[in-house]
């Protein structure tokens, strides 16, 4: 077995900025055990002093710290070209929005009970940063400009109109997503004062028909959520909702199926059905996708119900063309 397999963070340098002694030592010990080269400091000023001497691939930082807090530190990191991940439990909606605007690539919520989620977040953040750098380099060469055809530009415009805000607060939930590519996208909506609907759609098999499918799926759910307000219960029944969508997709006679995961959040519970979104993470892998969306009009998809943890949930997905989505929803006080 390789060092990389045994130690998933092998060769990655990480600066931990955390004033809580016990948690700082936990992070130091765990990240070192996973193969990372780790330095730990207790506030923003010490972080700046350390970064003046050495570059780190990743900064893991708290927001609430003495001497110099996390927001102040981010404002001083204009020239830093690594990944910044915020880990904080004493933060407001304004704080989280601000740190994302200042360049943080992701965040985790204290108390951190799943350290595997920390590893996944670090690796995902580094991977997306590397791919973004490559895309910027490719854009400089004329031979790559052929990929930006007129229909691609039009598709990008339509999909941008469909996409919700990347960061928002809905019924006490803080929602944030990141995308790489154009074939995966989320739809998120506050249905009423008690329910949030969310959707992840994969159109990678549809080629230039993907935009048509995206418009159909978006329009279907927007109409369904509006009908719920006049006593149509389908929106709260993910399996029934996807079955109804199948009939519309089938009638559109598209060349290939789209895939879709639909969920409803009510208080501390999420009810969901998975229609073809393969390799979905927990808890959404519990309901097996079975046949893909649109493959057969009478397909039914099993529903799953899960209790939301105090820190909500994180959904990461990579499709067949290596596009990616990271979607997080967690409650805020």
């Amino acid at each position: 077995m390789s060092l990389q397999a045994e130690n998933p963070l092998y060769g990655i340098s990480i600066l931990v900025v955390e004033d809580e002694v016990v948690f700082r030592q936990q992070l130091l010990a765990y990240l070192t055990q996973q193969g990372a080269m780790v330095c730990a400091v207790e506030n923003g000023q010490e972080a700046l002093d350390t970064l003046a001497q050495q570059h780190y691939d990743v900064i893991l930082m708290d927001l609430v710290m003495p001497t110099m807090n996390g927001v102040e530190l981010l404002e001083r990191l204009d020239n830093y070209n690594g990944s910044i991940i915020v880990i904080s439990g004493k933060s407001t909606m304004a704080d989280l929005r601000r740190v994302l605007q200042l360049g943080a690539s992701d965040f985790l919520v204290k108390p951190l009970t799943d350290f595997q989620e920390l590893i996944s977040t670090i690796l995902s953040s580094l991977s997306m940063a590397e791919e973004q750098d490559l895309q910027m380099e490719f854009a400089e060469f004329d031979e790559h400009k052929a990929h930006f055809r007129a229909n691609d530009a039009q598709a990008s415009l339509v999909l941008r109109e469909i996409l919700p805000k990347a960061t928002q607060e809905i019924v006490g939930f803080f929602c944030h997503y990141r995308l790489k590519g154009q074939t995966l996208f989320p739809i998120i909506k506050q249905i009423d004062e008690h329910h949030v609907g969310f959707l992840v759609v994969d159109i990678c098999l549809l080629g230039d028909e993907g935009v048509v499918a995206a418009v159909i799926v978006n329009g279907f759910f927007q109409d369904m959520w509006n009908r719920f307000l006049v006593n149509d219960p389908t929106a709260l029944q993910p399996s029934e909702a996807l079955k109804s969508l199948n009939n519309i997709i089938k009638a559109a006679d598209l060349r290939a199926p789209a895939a879709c995961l639909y969920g409803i959040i009510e208080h501390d519970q999420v009810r969901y059905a998975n229609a073809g979104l393969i390799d979905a993470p927990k808890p959404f892998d519990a309901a097996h996708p079975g046949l893909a969306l649109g493959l057969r009009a009478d397909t039914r998809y099993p529903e799953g119900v899960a209790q939301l943890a105090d820190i909500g949930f994180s959904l990461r997905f990579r499709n067949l063309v290596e596009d990616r989505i990271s979607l997080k929803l967690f409650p805020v006080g």
Side-chain angles (χ1 to χ4, degrees):
M1 185 177 291
S2 67
L3 282 173
Q4 184 68 49
E6 294 179 349
N7 304 285
L9 302 182
Y10 178 75
I12 298 173
S13 58
I14 302 176
L15 176 62
V16 174
V17 191
E18 171 61 62
D19 66 311
E20 295 181 14
V21 177
V22 174
F23 187 47
R24 185 169 70 242
Q25 292 302 317
Q26 283 181 327
L27 289 173
L28 179 61
Y30 179 77
L31 294 170
T32 301
Q33 183 184 45
Q34 301 302 312
M37 299 173 287
V38 189
C39 176
V41 298
E42 66 179 30
N43 60 58
Q45 186 56 59
E46 290 186 9
L48 287 178
D49 296 340
T50 302
L51 289 167
Q53 303 297 319
Q54 182 177 337
H55 172 77
Y56 288 86
D57 301 316
V58 179
I59 299 176
L60 296 179
M61 55 177 287
D62 195 2
L63 285 185
V64 182
M65 297 180 291
T67 309
M68 180 185 293
N69 65 35
V71 173
E72 293 170 331
L73 173 58
L74 278 166
E75 291 173 341
R76 303 279 295 275
L77 292 177
D78 291 343
N79 297 322
Y80 176 72
N81 62 355
S83 294
I84 302 171
I85 300 170
V86 171
I87 307 179
S88 183
K90 300 176 181 178
S91 54
T92 66
M93 176 68 178
D95 290 333
L96 293 170
R97 183 181 291 110
R98 179 64 174 153
V99 298
L100 291 168
Q101 290 173 341
L102 289 172
S105 57
D106 213 330
F107 57 83
L108 294 166
V109 181
K110 290 181 181 178
L112 188 62
T113 57
D114 183 359
F115 278 81
Q116 186 59 47
E117 172 72 3
L118 174 61
I119 292 180
S120 298
T121 300
I122 290 171
L123 295 177
S124 174
S125 182
L126 287 172
S127 177
M128 283 191 171
E130 290 172 0
E131 289 173 353
Q132 185 175 14
D133 289 343
L134 285 174
Q135 288 173 352
M136 293 176 66
E137 291 177 12
F138 288 160
E140 296 177 2
F141 299 96
D142 289 339
E143 58 266 32
H144 293 282
K145 292 181 181 178
H147 293 288
F148 299 96
R149 302 186 302 272
N151 61 319
D152 287 339
Q154 185 178 12
S156 298
L157 180 60
V158 172
L159 289 177
R160 279 199 300 270
E161 291 176 351
I162 291 174
L163 289 175
K165 294 179 181 178
T167 303
Q168 57 181 308
E169 185 174 9
I170 303 176
V171 195
F173 284 88
F174 181 76
C175 312
H176 175 68
Y177 70 87
R178 293 187 297 150
L179 300 176
K180 179 260 176 180
Q182 297 183 10
T183 62
L184 280 166
F185 64 93
I187 302 172
I188 306 167
K189 186 178 179 66
Q190 176 179 335
I191 302 175
D192 65 6
E193 60 182 357
H194 302 297
H195 300 93
V196 174
F198 69 93
L199 201 69
V200 175
V201 182
D202 180 8
I203 55 174
C204 73
L205 298 179
L206 285 159
D208 56 9
E209 292 182 341
V211 175
V212 175
V215 170
I216 291 173
V217 172
N218 180 65
F220 171 83
F221 277 94
Q222 298 296 340
D223 289 343
M224 181 186 65
W225 289 329
N226 288 333
R227 291 196 308 272
F228 172 75
L229 300 177
V230 290
N231 298 320
D232 181 349
T234 308
L236 303 189
Q237 302 166 350
S239 179
E240 287 297 319
L242 293 178
K243 180 183 177 182
S244 297
L245 177 60
N246 262 347
N247 294 323
I248 297 174
I249 291 289
K250 184 72 173 179
D253 195 27
L254 301 176
R255 74 175 73 170
C260 169
L261 188 153
Y262 175 49
I264 290 290
I265 298 175
E266 182 177 5
H267 303 304
D268 61 348
Q269 189 179 82
V270 57
R271 181 182 298 273
Y272 55 92
N274 188 346
L277 201 65
I278 59 175
D279 296 328
K282 293 182 179 180
F284 305 106
D285 59 349
H288 193 273
L291 295 174
L293 180 66
L295 188 61
R296 200 173 68 205
D298 59 351
T299 300
R300 293 187 65 88
Y301 304 96
E303 290 187 5
V305 180
Q307 292 296 123
L308 284 181
D310 291 340
I311 58 172
F313 68 83
S314 174
L315 194 160
R316 292 191 181 89
F317 179 72
R318 178 188 304 192
N319 66 10
L320 295 174
V321 297
E322 297 295 309
D323 285 353
R324 299 183 192 182
I325 183 171
S326 171
L327 172 65
K328 294 189 174 186
L329 290 94
F330 68 87
V332 293

